[in-house]
Amino acid sequence: MKIALLNIYFYSIWICSGLCIFLVILFSFLLLQPFLPYPVYLRWQRFLVADVFGRLYLYLLRPIAPVSTVGLERLRKNPVPRIYVLNHKSFSDTFLCSLLPKRSPVVLFNRTVSRIPVLGTGVHFVKWINVDEIPFNDWCEAAITQLKAGSSLFCFPEGTRSGKRPMGAFHGGIFRLAARAGHPVTPVLVTGNEETPAKGSPLLKPAHIRFVVLPDIVQKTGETPFHFKERVRGVMRDQLAKLEGNDYAG
Amino acid sequence: MTADEIVQKVNQVFYDTFELEPDRLTPEAKLFEDLGLDSLDAVDLVASLKEECGVDLRQDPRVREIRTMGDVYKLVTEIVSSRG
C-alpha cells in the first residue's frame, strides 16, 4: 500500500512538472531562440531537461530509492568535457546522469527514446543525437563538434536496458568517436535500480541505487576501436560484478 | 584454397582486425552476442576480408544471413569455390 502511494505521489508530480517544463522548452523555442545566441539558447534548453527535469526526478525518487555515489568529487575538481559511458539497467539511469558534472550535455540516444511521448519530442528541441537516424560519420562529427565546444557526451553503449540480466554487448560507435577525438571515456556504473522501474513496468520498487564513477580510460597506441570497446566493457563488467558482490573497494 | 586454409585465413582476419583470440573463434560462435561485434565492426570485417582473402562481400545479399563464425566460413568458401 505504501509503495502504491509513493508511486502515485511520484508520478503525479513528475508528469505534471514534466509537462510544465516541456511548455517552458516550447516557449523558449518560440520566444528566446530568435533573440539569444544559439549556444546560449541551447545551453538553457539543456539545463531545463538535464538539470531541472533530471534533478527533479531524483529528488522525487529519493523516498523510494535513495542514491549513493562514489567518484563524483574527482570529476567536480576537474570539470572538463567528458565522454560518459554508462551501463543501462533501467529507465531511471537516464535521470541519474544529472548527478554528473556537465555543461550543455548531449545524450546519444536510439529510436526507442524518440518513441516516448513528450520526452521523444523534447530531445529534438535540445539537439541531442539520434544515432539510429543519422549515418555514423555524420553523428560522430556532430558529437565531436559539441565535445570541442565544451559539452559532455552521455552514452549507454548496451543500447537497451539489461535489467537483472548480465551487462549486454556494447555498440562500438562511442568508442570510435572517442578514438577519433583522442579523448578518454569515463565509465560510470549504476546498480540497484533494476526494478526502479523494471523493463515493461512503470512501478518503482524500493531500492538502494549505487552510482559509481570509474577512472578515465584512454585508447592505447595501436589499439583497434573494437579492442578499446571490449577493454572498457571488461573493466565495467568486472567492477560491476565486484560492486554487486559487495566487495567493491571504491 | 582448402576448407581448413579458409578457416585459418578468416580466423587470422578476425585476430588482426579485432584482436580476438583463436580459441573464441568456433563455428558456433555468434558474431554479435558471443564475440561482441556490431554493425560498424561488420563494415571493418567486410573490408578486411576483401583485403586479406580477396572476397568482396559488399554487394552480396548473403551477408545479411550471417550470424555465426560458421556462416562466415561457409560464405567465404562458397565465393572462393565459385571462382574455380
Side-chain angles (χ1 to χ4, degrees), chain A residues 136 139 169-174 176 222-227 229-230, chain B residues 16-20 24 32-33 35-42 44:
Chain A
F136 169 71
W139 71 251
F170 278 8
H171 293 271
I174 193 70
R176 286 168 187 262
E223 187 177 37
T224 63
F226 177 82
H227 196 261
K229 170 184 80 172
E230 288 298 283
Chain B
D16 293 341
T17 313
F18 306 118
E19 299 174 50
L20 284 166
R24 293 180 65 190
F32 297 101
E33 291 91 336
L35 302 181
L37 270 64
D38 64 15
S39 55
L40 295 169
D41 299 319
D44 286 349

Side-chain angles (χ1 to χ4, degrees), chain A residues 58-99:
Chain A
L58 296 185
Y59 181 78
L60 295 172
L61 190 66
R62 204 180 291 166
I64 306 168
V67 182
S68 59
T69 64
V70 176
L72 286 178
E73 278 310 307
R74 176 178 67 84
L75 303 183
R76 289 192 189 116
K77 280 180 192 160
N78 186 20
V80 294
R82 293 178 183 277
I83 301 174
Y84 294 109
V85 290
L86 299 94
N87 67 310
H88 198 12
K89 282 181 177 279
S90 163
F91 180 69
S92 51
D93 295 337
T94 327
F95 298 93
L96 287 159
C97 289
S98 66
L99 292 167

Side-chain angles (χ1 to χ4, degrees), chain A residues 9-58:
Chain A
Y9 140 82
F10 177 91
Y11 280 111
S12 55
I13 300 176
W14 184 64
I15 289 171
C16 290
S17 55
L19 289 170
C20 291
I21 290 169
F22 182 75
L23 287 175
V24 176
I25 287 172
L26 202 59
F27 280 116
S28 301
F29 173 71
L30 297 170
L31 301 174
L32 294 182
Q33 194 197 10
F35 305 107
L36 284 177
Y38 193 66
V40 178
Y41 155 78
L42 212 49
R43 210 181 308 153
W44 161 250
Q45 296 286 54
R46 288 172 179 169
F47 168 78
L48 285 174
V49 175
D51 289 283
V52 178
F53 193 45
R55 289 277 180 171
L56 179 75
Y57 184 98
L58 296 185

Side-chain angles (χ1 to χ4, degrees), chain B residues 3-46:
Chain B
D4 280 350
E5 284 170 337
I6 287 171
V7 168
Q8 265 187 350
K9 194 101 179 166
V10 169
N11 284 356
Q12 189 62 43
V13 167
F14 272 79
Y15 181 73
D16 293 341
T17 313
F18 306 118
E19 299 174 50
L20 284 166
E21 298 299 332
D23 59 349
R24 293 180 65 190
L25 305 175
T26 60
E28 303 79 32
K30 291 176 184 159
L31 300 187
F32 297 101
E33 291 91 336
D34 298 336
L35 302 181
L37 270 64
D38 64 15
S39 55
L40 295 169
D41 299 319
V43 175
D44 286 349
L45 175 64
V46 168

